Amino acid sequence: MSKYWSDSIKQLHPYTPGEQVSGRDIIKLNTNESPYPPSPAVAAALENLDAGSLKLYPDPLALDLRSSLADNFNVTPNQVFVGNGSDDVLAMAFMAFFRGKTIQFPELTYSFYPVWCGLFNINYINTPMTTDYGIDTAALALQNGGVIIANPNAPTGKLTPVATIGELAASSSGSVVIVDEAYIDFGGESAVSLIDQHDNILVVQTFSKSRSLAGLRLGYAIGHPDLIEGLVRVKDSFNSYPIDSVALTCGKAAIEDKEYFETTCNKVIASREVLTTGLELLGFDVIPSNANFVFAQHTHKAAAELYQQLKDNNILVRYFNKPKIDNFLRITVGTDTEIGALLNTLKTII
Ligand code: PMP
C-alpha cells in the first residue's frame, strides 16, 4: 500500500493467475494451456516475418485478422473485434456495456468477472448454482442490466446448451449477454449461431486454449456490428494498437489451419475421457466436463493436501481456497503421458 495510490486502486482485489513455472521436469496442469504446440503454419509465419516491418505500427483495425476470423465463423468483419487476449476483450466489454449498470453472473465462475466490476465500479449480483453445479439461467436473466456466462463454465467445465443461451438473451432484453467461450472448442456448440437473431449477444473467444497460443495474447468478440462499434470506441479511447504485428500474422496463420485445430481439439477431448475415467477409478467425483480441464473432488482426501503433495512431486494443478470449491482440484487435460504420470502419482499418494 502506498500513499500515492488513488483510493479506488487501494480498494482493488486483483485477479491471481495460476503459477507460471519454467522447470523442465514440471508437469504443468494448472492454467488450461494446450499441451500441444501451435499449428506449424504459425512457426512458418514467424520464420517469414521481416523484422524490418516492425518499425511500422500495426494496422489499428486488424482488418486482415478480422477477415480471417469472419470467414471462419461465416460472419462479416464488422461483426468481429480483436483484443490482446480475451481478458482484454472482456475488460473492454465490461467498460462498454456494463458501466453504470447492475450485472449478474453465477456464483461459481471465472474469478476475473468480480475484479473488473471492482475496477469499473459495476454492481454485481451472484446467482446460485443448480444442485449439480450447473448455471441456473432462469435466475441469471436480467432486464436493462448485464449478464455474463462462461460456456463451458470455469472452473466447473459444465456446458450450457446453446438453445438455453438463446432463451437467456430473449429474457434479458435491454441487457448485453456476454458468452465467454474460452473453452467452447472442446465439445460445445458456439452461440455465434445466435448473433443474427439476438442483437444483445456478444460471444468472446480466445487463441489461448484450442489454438495453443496463450503466449501470443489474442482474443476476439463476435456480435452485432453496433456492439462491435462500442468495443472499438473503448479500444480507441485506450490503446489504438493493442494487437502487435507479430500477433496479427501468427493469429491469421493459426485460424486458417482448420485441420490442425480439429486434430488437436479431438486429441484433448479423447485425453479428457482418459483423465476422467482414471480419476473416477481413484475415488474422485468428476463433474462432466466439456472443456480442456476437469473439476474433481476426492471422496475422502482433502484437495489442499492433494494439491501440495502433487506439487511436491513436480505436478502442478489448480487449487482454489474459496468457499464451496475448496475441496476441488481443477486439472488441465495434458498429453496422455502427462495424464499417466498424474494418475500414477495420485495412486501412490492416495
Ligand atoms: N475466460 C475464461 C473463462 C478463462 O478461463 C480465461 C483464461 N484464464 C480467459 C477468459 C482469458 O484467457 P485469455 O486472456 O488468455 O484469452
Side-chain angles (χ1 to χ4, degrees):
M1 189 78 77
S2 156
K3 64 178 179 181
Y4 297 113
W5 295 358
S6 63
D7 287 344
S8 60
I9 296 304
K10 283 181 193 154
Q11 272 145 39
L12 291 182
H13 299 282
Y15 175 75
T16 318
E19 296 152 84
Q20 285 300 339
V21 285
S22 52
R24 258 172 298 141
D25 297 331
I26 298 275
I27 296 182
K28 192 172 176 301
L29 305 175
N30 68 330
T31 47
N32 300 341
E33 290 139 331
S34 172
Y36 303 109
S39 152
V42 172
L46 277 175
E47 265 171 43
N48 292 333
L49 197 90
D50 168 19
S53 70
L54 295 178
K55 73 182 181 192
L56 300 176
Y57 283 107
D59 172 13
L61 303 175
L63 192 56
D64 229 13
L65 176 60
R66 283 171 47 226
S67 300
S68 291
L69 284 162
D71 285 348
N72 186 66
F73 288 100
N74 215 5
V75 297
T76 52
N78 68 347
Q79 292 173 299
V80 182
F81 176 81
V82 288
N84 188 8
S86 61
D87 280 341
D88 186 50
V89 176
L90 288 164
M92 284 193 257
F94 272 57
M95 240 194 276
F97 310 120
F98 292 168
R99 260 189 135 170
K101 299 187 180 164
T102 294
I103 70 162
Q104 293 203 139
F105 49 85
E107 62 180 333
L108 293 187
T109 192
Y110 185 32
S111 53
F112 224 136
Y113 304 155
V115 175
W116 288 312
C117 288
L119 182 63
F120 303 130
N121 216 357
I122 297 164
N123 289 327
Y124 68 90
I125 297 169
N126 280 150
T127 57
M129 313 306 289
T130 60
T131 45
D132 60 351
Y133 294 97
I135 292 176
D136 182 351
T137 46
L140 199 59
L142 181 70
Q143 300 205 348
N144 303 318
V147 175
I148 181 160
I149 171 181
N151 196 38
N153 197 14
T156 60
K158 275 201 90 148
L159 186 76
T160 301
V162 76
T164 310
I165 292 178
E167 288 160 19
L168 173 64
S171 51
S172 300
S173 62
S175 299
V176 170
V177 176
I178 299 180
V179 190
D180 175 355
E181 293 189 339
Y183 303 104
I184 196 70
D185 297 323
F186 303 106
E189 193 193 331
S190 171
V192 168
S193 59
L194 300 176
I195 63 162
D196 286 337
Q197 286 155 263
H198 299 276
D199 65 3
N200 60 336
I201 292 184
L202 185 78
V203 177
V204 177
Q205 295 193 359
T206 179
F207 283 73
S208 297
K209 318 292 179 183
S210 55
R211 312 269 168 188
S212 309
L213 284 168
L216 194 68
R217 309 308 299 130
L218 262 187
Y220 49 97
I222 302 178
H224 189 280
D226 288 350
L227 296 185
I228 300 306
E229 199 186 327
L231 291 170
V232 173
R233 286 174 73 87
V234 172
K235 170 187 93 75
D236 287 340
S237 304
F238 192 74
N239 176 2
S240 316
Y241 309 104
I243 317 296
D244 62 72
S245 314
V246 180
L248 289 177
T249 308
C250 293
K252 185 175 156 69
I255 212 79
E256 289 176 357
D257 191 350
K258 292 189 191 192
E259 199 181 320
Y260 184 83
F261 161 74
E262 274 161 25
T263 307
T264 46
C265 286
N266 286 336
K267 281 210 265 190
V268 170
I269 292 167
S271 301
R272 179 178 67 214
E273 301 319 312
V274 175
L275 174 61
T276 304
T277 312
L279 289 171
E280 284 171 347
L281 285 172
L282 290 170
F284 282 88
D285 286 329
V286 185
I287 296 179
S289 169
N290 283 65
N292 68 340
F293 57 85
V294 299
F295 205 45
Q297 61 179 332
H298 196 261
T299 41
H300 60 267
K301 270 284 221 179
E305 254 173 72
L306 286 174
Y307 161 79
Q308 191 52 53
Q309 286 172 294
L310 285 171
K311 196 172 176 182
D312 295 343
N313 282 279
N314 294 326
I315 300 178
L316 263 190
V317 298
R318 192 88 194 259
Y319 170 67
F320 301 93
N321 190 5
K322 289 186 178 168
K324 301 200 178 174
I325 54 169
D326 60 357
N327 208 29
F328 280 88
L329 294 178
R330 194 197 66 190
I331 307 172
T332 304
V333 177
T335 60
D336 285 342
T337 312
E338 289 171 324
I339 292 169
L342 168 86
L343 293 172
N344 278 336
T345 308
L346 279 172
K347 197 170 173 184
T348 315
I349 295 170
I350 292 165

